[in-house]
Amino acid sequence: MKRFLPALAAAAAVALAIPGAASAGKPYVLGNVGNGSFPTVTAGPAGVYHVLWNDAAANVYHYCQVLKGKPGCAKSTVLPFNDATGGVKDATGAPGKGWIVRDTDTGTLYLVHAQYVSGDTYVWTSVNNGDSFSGPVKVYGG
């Protein structure tokens, strides 16, 4: 499964970066790649893509919903860290790479941050297709 996730994220990123012939246009770059950002993507139904990237300078995650053939974010939100939750930052003090997962049965979105130094895992949850998120909730760790 670990080998499958990066391949899936790469395939979804290619789908976002290379528009089809019917919707040809300039590719839209998501995230702040020059600032230690690592975007992850998951596909929803009917050409909806959910994107999450970290912003190491601002200590936040950015969520963006992209509609196939449309530039920019149809929905977006910023998810700040809260050190009081137990430290959801990586060893450098900045947010590490996050993951976005969509439950295909319910449509619920989960934004996952695994803190590799401590082993703690935190999750933000959206039950309204990215309109709002609750959390973070610690789901694993000491």
Side-chain angles (χ1 to χ4, degrees):
M1 182 72 170
K2 283 186 177 180
R3 285 185 264 170
F4 179 73
L5 284 176
L8 178 61
V14 168
L16 286 172
I18 304 173
S23 62
K26 182 178 177 185
Y28 182 74
V29 178
L30 296 167
N32 185 359
V33 179
N35 195 26
S37 177
F38 301 99
T40 58
V41 180
T42 190
V48 176
Y49 297 92
H50 303 279
V51 184
L52 178 70
W53 69 92
N54 59 322
D55 184 337
N59 291 325
V60 297
Y61 280 118
H62 294 273
Y63 163 79
C64 173
Q65 184 184 92
V66 178
L67 305 177
K68 185 176 180 180
K70 305 280 185 182
C73 298
K75 296 178 186 177
S76 64
T77 193
V78 176
L79 301 163
F81 287 107
N82 178 357
D83 288 334
T85 63
V88 294
K89 299 177 183 179
D90 70 11
T92 67
K97 182 175 185 174
W99 297 95
I100 185 160
V101 179
R102 183 179 170 276
D103 183 322
T104 55
D105 292 331
T106 66
T108 301
L109 296 172
Y110 300 98
L111 309 182
V112 181
H113 170 81
Q115 212 280 347
Y116 297 108
V117 175
S118 69
D120 296 340
T121 302
Y122 294 84
V123 175
W124 289 264
T125 304
S126 175
V127 295
N128 54 15
N129 202 34
D131 287 339
S132 63
F133 289 87
S134 62
V137 174
K138 188 178 199 177
V139 295
Y140 182 81

